[in-house]
Amino acid sequence: MHTSQELITSELNLSQPLRRPARLWMPKRVLFTPDALEEPFGQQIFERVTALNLPVEILKSNRITGLRGADSRETYRIAKNTLAVVKAPPGAFRLQPIPPSADWQVNLAEGCPAHCQYCYLAGSLAGPPVTRVFANLPQLLTNTARYEQPGKTTTFEVSCYTDVIGIEHLTGSLAECVRYFGTRPDAQLRFVTKYEQVDSLLDLPHHGRTRARVSLNAEPIARRMEGGTAPVEGRLQALRKLALPAEQGGGGYPVGVVLAPIMPVPGWRELYTGLLDRLAEALDFPCDLTVEFITHRFTPGSKAVLLDWYPNTSLEMNEADRAGKRNKFGGIKYVYRPEDMKGLQSFFYAEWRKRFPDAPILYWT
Ligand code: SF4
């Protein structure tokens, strides 16, 4: 039994910046399909993971099996510890629009090693939550040229279904994308991460055509709900490195912040004020910065999956406290009520503009 003083103290401790370095994800198994190993880029991944002494299995067929455990807990554990290198199916070459974040999504992988209790993938990717990396990435990249529109900057988002930095040490996929878009004057690559190991990106020839974003949240939310990711402090320092000019040892990238998912937890004004102050300290030099604000939402499908994955979560998903919004297919999602949204939005817009008057707000959702 905790006293109320103990609870307040533990809450305060949680709002202090956590300064430990992030752990790199090292899967317990790496599976290759025969098709993936035929791809030169698949071979490169093979060399990387064998150099890291990871246990590699070459499958007999192109189907990934052996991910199911005795119950959903065990299935989750097995899948989250597995990296599968596969060839993206033909459907991956038909790109989907992804407003408001970008014009099109391109996926270099599907599945993520982190353990966010609100995970955006819950309910959108079927089956056990394994991370599948695409060995035919170079073909997926050249395919994007069909979607470019001359005279306009067409944007491509690669982070919809994975954390691209969380797996970069194993795959080199993001570097491949950055190099590719560095050669495309009419396109822009966009990625976002909750990890901090960005050093391998700093010297790449991006030519200003990649916007590197980090996802940030209030310290207690990140600590409680974003398992396996880098602490907020590490992400802020990663953003600083990406944005600093090359002459100062940085990457010289256009950068961005994705503040997500925004949650009006107790004390949210103070917590998010503290976060924005820390961001202003990390970016205390002129840089090309944008921000995207995304409030928390869930669907009946994502809630069911998340409660299965994280039965003890403290994440609030109470339909009665939310507004239901229908999409054009009749599905429902639960967002904050209009009056709560208004209060949140005016706070974030004012606080952002106060600190970063020249950094555009791309959208609020
Ligand atoms: S980083 Fe993104 S994709 Fe990965 S677990 Fe967290 S919310 Fe899900």
Side-chain angles (χ1 to χ4, degrees):
M1 183 81 172
H2 294 287
T3 65
S4 57
Q5 186 54 46
E6 278 169 345
L7 282 176
I8 291 167
T9 310
S10 85
E11 217 30 47
L12 280 175
N13 287 340
L14 273 180
S15 61
Q16 298 306 307
L18 183 64
R19 294 189 195 275
R20 65 157 173 74
R23 288 178 293 270
L24 283 178
W25 181 55
M26 290 296 169
K28 295 211 166 74
R29 298 162 77 202
V30 183
L31 312 176
F32 280 83
T33 62
D35 272 5
L37 262 189
E38 278 178 12
E39 296 289 330
F41 190 70
Q43 283 287 338
Q44 281 181 38
I45 299 178
F46 184 84
E47 278 156 30
R48 271 180 185 256
V49 293
T50 41
L52 289 166
N53 285 327
L54 295 172
V56 172
E57 291 166 46
I58 298 167
L59 300 171
K60 292 209 166 49
S61 86
N62 288 317
R63 256 173 58 90
I64 309 287
T65 52
L67 296 174
R68 300 234 176 238
D71 52 24
S72 57
R73 267 194 111 66
E74 202 187 344
T75 301
Y76 177 89
R77 206 172 46 244
I78 295 171
K80 280 282 185 181
N81 280 306
T82 305
L83 175 71
V85 185
V86 303
K87 202 166 151 185
F93 291 80
R94 277 191 305 277
L95 302 189
Q96 301 300 317
I98 175 80
S101 146
D103 293 318
W104 303 101
Q105 57 167 300
V106 187
N107 297 310
L108 53 79
E110 289 183 357
C112 174
H115 306 272
C116 300
Q117 293 178 22
Y118 54 75
C119 181
Y120 310 116
L121 306 184
S124 18
L125 291 183
V130 60
T131 302
R132 288 171 210 264
V133 178
F134 298 139
N136 49 345
L137 177 63
Q139 294 92 307
L140 288 167
L141 288 173
T142 45
N143 176 59
T144 62
R146 299 199 291 131
Y147 292 82
E148 286 181 17
Q149 284 181 291
K152 169 186 179 281
T153 300
T154 307
T155 53
F156 296 91
E157 171 68 75
V158 278
S159 315
C160 298
Y161 284 146
T162 190
D163 192 299
V164 289
I165 300 275
I167 55 174
E168 179 66 4
H169 56 297
L170 305 168
T171 67
S173 302
L174 181 59
E176 188 75 12
C177 297
V178 171
R179 279 191 292 261
Y180 175 78
F181 282 99
T183 67
R184 307 300 304 174
D186 290 331
Q188 186 198 58
L189 171 72
R190 297 165 63 71
F191 77 81
V192 61
T193 185
K194 291 192 187 101
Y195 284 78
E196 65 183 17
Q197 54 275 11
V198 296
D199 289 359
S200 64
L201 303 180
L202 299 182
D203 294 331
L204 296 177
H206 58 78
H207 299 304
R209 290 198 277 275
T210 291
R211 188 168 293 276
R213 293 122 82 218
V214 298
S215 169
L216 296 176
N217 216 325
E219 187 77 30
I221 297 176
R223 282 209 200 190
R224 269 208 202 101
M225 294 194 190
E226 297 178 347
T229 63
V232 171
E233 191 56 29
R235 298 181 218 171
L236 289 169
Q237 293 314 314
L239 187 66
R240 179 180 171 86
K241 279 192 214 171
L242 289 162
L244 269 175
E247 318 67 83
Q248 292 175 43
Y253 282 87
V255 292
V257 166
V258 179
L259 249 158
I262 293 170
M263 299 182 196
V265 294
W268 64 269
R269 280 189 183 75
E270 293 72 27
L271 293 170
Y272 284 113
T273 299
L275 175 68
L276 292 172
D277 286 343
R278 287 167 67 195
L279 176 64
E281 265 173 47
L283 296 181
D284 59 349
F285 54 92
C287 60
D288 176 351
L289 171 71
T290 60
V291 68
E292 294 146 80
F293 294 114
I294 304 173
T295 54
H296 179 251
R297 68 257 344 269
F298 62 93
T299 64
S302 69
K303 178 175 174 176
V305 174
L306 290 172
L307 290 178
D308 184 36
W309 287 352
Y310 310 109
N312 302 321
T313 186
S314 54
L315 178 61
E316 173 277 308
M317 289 188 283
N318 187 3
E319 292 83 353
D321 295 334
R322 300 288 188 119
K325 256 177 114 172
R326 293 225 170 252
N327 66 22
K328 57 183 173 192
F329 308 110
I332 192 160
K333 67 178 170 194
Y334 293 98
V335 298
Y336 294 116
R337 288 188 178 140
E339 58 274 27
D340 297 332
M341 278 286 208
K342 249 171 117 183
L344 287 165
Q345 185 174 6
S346 55
F347 167 84
F348 278 98
Y349 274 47
E351 294 298 320
W352 183 264
R353 287 180 176 141
K354 206 166 22 173
R355 291 170 185 78
F356 308 104
D358 301 321
I361 297 172
L362 299 187
Y363 57 87
W364 171 274
T365 185

